[in-house]
Amino acid sequence: MSQPAALNQDQIDYWNGEAGASWTRNQERVDRFLAPITAKVLDAAKPAKGEAILDIGCGCGETTLALAEAAGPAGKVTGVDISAPMLERARERAAAKGLAPEFIKADAASYDFTPESFDLVFSRFGVMFFDEPAAAFANIRKAMKPGGRLSFVCWREAKENEWVFRPLVAALPHITPPEPPAPGTPGPFAFADEGHVRGLLEEAGFDKVHLDPLDLDLIMAEGGADMLDQSINFVLEIGPVARALKSESEAVTEKVIGSVREELAKFETPKGLVLKGACWIVSARP
Ligand SMILES: C[S@@+](CC[C@H](N)C(=O)[O-])C[C@H]1O[C@@H](n2cnc3c(N)ncnc32)[C@H](O)[C@@H]1O
């Protein structure tokens, strides 16, 4: 009889494979793209001098470094992630900035954190990938000081996020359509439903759960002659079109590029190629 898959193993494989490689390769571009969201979620989380802060799914470390700067030398910031290549990038960036957050390679769902040790648990798009999210958040909650804060940002539905939806709709006539994820499947849009997020956080023992919508313009590429080329390259590196094209031929990829180019051209503005993003900023108390 075959063994049941270990919890989160698919995600561990995924973030140590092609996804970890492409997020690391595109780190600067992704951080530029997400910068307006980063500013809003950091503003909501209010990291303070001297605090102990945990950054879940810290990836290449952009927010861990910002949190370490906010907490200052008297604070203690920890980034946890399952992806070896992304953590390697995070460590290099911390060293280059003279910052010393701790980075742990571990599954946040089951890691044995020191109980009641964090004032703030934070995440930028790193908490939607747990096979059993309520159990994972119960584990995270145990690591929080009484009176601590949970603060994270996650995506709302794909169709509200033009940056991902418009290229996908343009590509669909040419590709094998990706299976719509079954409800509860981990992934970038797993926390789109307000009631689902509220329910799982309450099941994990959190209190005072708030979800605030954040709608904003995201700049896929800044202005310039190669704005469309840059945007197409982005779509071919990160997101569902990139994933779908892994199993398609070069001829199909060429057709997809043509259709995505035509679609994205509609979003050219003097500021750059601008598409809507839609998130939840979530806060809760342990
Ligand atoms: C969408 S990326 C976001 C990375 C980073 N927070 C950022 O905004 O650039 C999701 C991150 O969550 C991490 N992740 C997924 N499941 C995890 C788990 N169970 N424990 C820790 N990290 C996890 C992935 O390795 C990846 O780095």
Side-chain angles (χ1 to χ4, degrees):
M1 217 166 85
S2 66
Q3 293 282 322
L7 279 183
N8 303 328
Q9 190 57 51
D10 287 352
Q11 295 295 325
I12 292 169
D13 295 344
Y14 179 68
W15 291 103
N16 281 287
E18 186 44 42
S22 75
W23 274 70
T24 306
R25 205 163 50 233
N26 290 285
Q27 172 258 313
E28 283 182 31
R29 179 176 16 199
V30 168
D31 288 331
R32 247 194 334 271
F33 177 66
L34 296 178
I37 300 176
T38 309
K40 291 282 185 192
V41 62
L42 284 170
D43 202 40
K46 299 193 181 16
K49 292 269 175 262
E51 284 194 320
I53 305 175
L54 176 63
D55 188 3
I56 306 257
C58 64
C60 299
E62 177 77 358
T63 52
T64 323
L65 301 188
L67 292 165
E69 276 175 352
K76 184 172 175 353
V77 174
T78 305
V80 61
D81 204 289
I82 50 176
S83 170
M86 294 170 82
L87 282 173
E88 191 184 327
R89 169 59 61 91
R91 289 194 179 100
E92 287 165 7
R93 297 177 72 204
K97 281 201 151 190
L99 292 167
E102 181 184 17
F103 288 107
I104 304 174
K105 180 172 170 292
D107 181 346
S110 54
Y111 185 73
D112 194 9
F113 296 107
T114 305
E116 300 192 0
S117 57
F118 292 106
D119 299 289
L120 169 64
V121 171
F122 177 93
S123 186
R124 183 183 82 173
F125 303 122
V127 289
M128 305 90 86
F129 303 97
F130 304 125
D131 281 333
E132 293 184 356
F137 273 100
N139 185 53
I140 291 162
R141 192 176 73 86
K142 280 196 305 197
M144 298 175 68
K145 292 182 187 173
R149 293 112 59 212
L150 173 70
S151 189
F152 67 82
V153 63
C154 56
W155 297 112
R156 303 210 308 272
E157 283 191 43
K159 65 173 180 288
E160 292 183 83
N161 278 286
E162 282 178 351
W163 66 274
V164 78
F165 195 65
R166 298 317 313 172
L168 181 61
V169 167
L172 273 180
H174 311 296
I175 59 174
T176 314
E179 286 282 315
T185 308
F189 300 98
F191 280 14
D193 182 74
E194 180 176 5
H196 173 65
V197 178
R198 182 182 299 285
L200 73 87
L201 290 177
E202 287 174 356
E203 191 185 333
F206 283 93
D207 192 17
K208 298 194 172 63
V209 178
H210 290 287
L211 285 89
D212 292 316
L214 172 65
D215 292 276
L216 70 187
D217 287 343
L218 294 174
I219 301 181
M220 199 175 260
E222 274 152 35
D226 65 346
M227 173 161 60
L228 261 180
D229 289 335
Q230 279 189 48
S231 304
I232 286 159
N233 185 264
F234 188 107
V235 170
L236 296 179
E237 285 279 318
I238 303 257
V241 174
R243 278 196 296 281
L245 287 180
K246 298 266 171 283
S247 52
E248 302 284 0
S249 66
E250 242 172 73
V252 168
T253 302
E254 285 310 313
K255 283 189 194 153
V256 167
I257 289 175
S259 296
V260 171
R261 175 180 289 276
E262 211 173 292
E263 181 63 24
L264 289 183
K266 298 175 192 163
F267 296 89
E268 283 183 297
T269 78
K271 277 201 298 182
L273 206 116
V274 180
L275 292 105
K276 299 273 176 227
C279 309
W280 293 117
I281 293 210
V282 182
S283 63
R285 296 285 180 164

